[in-house]
């Protein structure tokens, strides 16, 4: 009976250790800039002028053009900064961009609208969502796979500049 209990405990410990965690560690070169190229749908993590990693991305459901107002489905363009992180995101993990900046706010207010906000780099769609292979499905965010956001989340620190080009 004691042997069975020991074997069950060992089995449970192995099962728990086999489960992957979404929080990874990174000890490589500092990511000094994130570059997002909307036209090629690629995101690059750079250490100065050296590329460390690159990922295919999905964008807002209206990918052409700079985000103007809340709900337009566009991904912003320009210089922003990583300014927050959400370990409990409904999109696995997410890191936030400093959108809107002063120019974004002024532009939207001139149209009598809100610029929106909550633009993130995040993982894939929640389980059970109705994305079904759509290339661009976010409301303006930058999406990678869940496994990829685990690496990005570990590598990219708050304050890192992100440049988003058309």
């Amino acid at each position: 009976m004691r042997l069975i209990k020991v074997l069950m405990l060992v089995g449970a410990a192995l099962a728990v250790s086999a489960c992957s965690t979404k929080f990874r560690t990174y000890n490589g070169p500092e990511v000094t800039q994130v570059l997002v190229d909307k036209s090629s749908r690629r995101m690059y993590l750079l250490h100065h002028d050296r590329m460390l990693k690159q990922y295919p991305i999905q964008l807002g459901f209206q990918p052409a053009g700079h985000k103007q107002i809340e709900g337009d489905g566009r991904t912003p363009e320009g210089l922003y900064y990583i300014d927050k992180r959400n370990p409990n995101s409904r999109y696995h993990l997410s890191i936030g961009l400093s959108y809107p900046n002063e120019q974004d706010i002024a532009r939207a207010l001139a149209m009598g609208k809100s610029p929106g906000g909550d633009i993130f780099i995040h993982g894939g769609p929640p389980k059970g969502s109705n994305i079904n292979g759509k290339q661009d499905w976010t409301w303006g965010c930058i999406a990678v796979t869940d496994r990829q956001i685990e690496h990005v989340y570990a590598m990219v620190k708050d304050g890192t500049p992100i440049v988003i080009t058309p």
Side-chain angles (χ1 to χ4, degrees):
M1 189 65 151
R2 182 179 161 119
L3 178 61
I4 292 173
K5 285 184 183 179
V6 169
L7 289 174
M8 288 177 62
L9 283 173
V10 168
L14 288 173
V16 168
S17 68
C19 295
S20 66
T21 176
K22 66 182 182 178
F23 299 106
R24 299 185 180 272
T25 58
Y26 174 71
N27 296 317
E30 174 188 13
V31 174
T32 57
Q33 182 181 47
V34 176
L35 174 62
V36 171
D37 182 353
K38 289 171 56 173
S39 63
S40 69
R41 302 228 173 3
R42 305 292 294 176
M43 178 173 65
Y44 305 91
L45 305 185
L46 305 172
H47 175 72
H48 302 295
D49 60 352
R50 189 177 95 197
M51 182 177 51
L52 300 173
K53 292 277 188 183
Q54 65 173 306
Y55 301 100
I57 59 171
Q58 296 173 317
L59 300 167
F61 63 84
Q62 295 291 333
H66 176 61
K67 183 166 193 60
Q68 302 286 315
I69 59 172
E70 182 174 14
D72 67 7
R74 292 187 174 132
T75 301
E77 296 170 357
L79 173 63
Y80 298 94
Y81 296 89
I82 302 303
D83 67 349
K84 57 189 161 284
R85 39 193 68 239
N86 183 357
N88 300 311
S89 171
R90 71 182 275 235
Y91 300 96
H92 194 57
L93 291 169
S94 60
I95 55 176
L97 281 60
S98 59
Y99 177 88
N101 61 28
E102 289 180 16
Q103 294 86 3
D104 298 319
I105 294 168
R107 186 181 306 111
L109 291 178
M111 293 186 274
K113 305 281 186 174
S114 165
D118 286 339
I119 303 296
F120 286 84
I121 301 170
H122 60 65
K127 305 295 184 250
S129 64
N130 192 19
I131 301 307
N132 293 334
K134 292 180 184 176
Q135 181 177 12
D136 295 311
W137 56 269
T138 76
W139 283 87
C141 294
I142 300 158
V144 294
T145 68
D146 288 353
R147 172 167 244 147
Q148 291 166 341
I149 193 60
E150 291 173 4
H151 294 279
V152 173
Y153 194 90
M155 293 175 74
V156 178
K157 303 301 177 206
D158 289 358
T160 303
I162 177 169
V163 176
I164 306 171
T165 64

